[in-house]
Amino acid sequence: MRRRRLAGTVSALTAIALLVLTGCSLKSTPASDKPAASGSGATTGNAAATPAPPYDVRPLLDPAKKYFGAAIDKAPHAMAPVTAYTDMVGKAPNLLEYYAEWGAGFDASGVRAAWQQGAMTLMSWEPFHISLADIAAGKADTYLKKYATDVRILNLPVVIDFADEFNGDWENWGTKHVTPAQFVAAWRHIHDVFTDMGAGTVIWAWSPNVINPVKNVDLKPYYPGDAYVDWVGMVGYFTLSSDNAFSSVFGPTMTEIRTFTQRPLIIIETASEPGERRRADIKNLFDGVEARDDLLGFIWFDYKKRADWRLQVSPLALAEFKQLAADDRFGFDVRKP
């Protein structure tokens, strides 16, 4: 469970729509703490007179190597913090997560800057000030269509993770406020608008919190379906108050997910609470991700919030992280997967 924040399927359905809209040869796809939202309304430049064919994101859906991701304050709108993080851990992250409040514009300049340095962005899209029922009813379609158009014009791969941790009661879109049917309807509506607008470079990541603190909430009713999801993400942290085995933190959630979908898994937000166990937590994280072929990688949450999740505050743990990150199985240039 995250410790606080503010604020695609390139599925068969999307691919078919792109064939109709663009005439391209894209095939169907193979079978907390959070910071302030990024993106103050930055948008793409003018559309070209003749749009380019949509970027083919298929190689990024299930690459041979693991994603080596990070969520870093001010990135990707500013990339200097990413350079500093790279110098610290010895390897550049190739998946950058940032947090965008619903209503803010698409941060095309940040996405482009990340891409130019070999990283794809994953946007955690947070509907703090709108109900999911209103989204599903089309009441935000003007905003959605503009957003999707800007994504289409940029024509670079982006990951969208909408309303994550929905299975917890701590979010505005969580179990206290939203039914599974409302969540699914909103998710599908957003996806359909992007498809209708020809925004075919989105990888859609559906991301519950790990089920350990919310064992009474079934995940399957919240699942929009494989036609609407490319990746299944997980939010989960190693804390001093819980067992730090990888199988304990993530195992029950992966087991439940595998009862209703075989979509690739990715840990879209994780970190270890500072303390004596931190080195062991980091080793468990790397070993656990490497051991599963269906687990695409992880994103380290390098922020100071309710706990100081930053690697720099634990020199020995940082050294462990740096040594393990040097493994060639983690990280690759997303421009050349």
Side-chain angles (χ1 to χ4, degrees), residues 2 5 132 161-180 183-184 187 205-209 214 217-224 232-233 235 257 260:
R2 278 188 210 131
R5 78 263 195 87
L132 268 59
D161 164 32
F162 173 73
D164 60 7
E165 298 184 72
F166 51 83
N167 57 320
D169 61 6
W170 51 86
E171 301 290 10
N172 293 5
W173 52 89
T175 54
K176 284 186 177 180
H177 309 285
V178 176
T179 68
F183 179 88
V184 168
W187 180 284
W206 175 83
S207 304
N209 194 87
V214 283
V217 179
D218 292 334
L219 294 178
K220 185 177 180 180
Y222 288 89
Y223 189 62
V232 173
V235 177
I257 287 166
F260 57 85

Side-chain angles (χ1 to χ4, degrees), residues 7-18:
T9 302
V10 181
S11 62
L13 179 62
T14 305
I16 292 169
L18 288 170

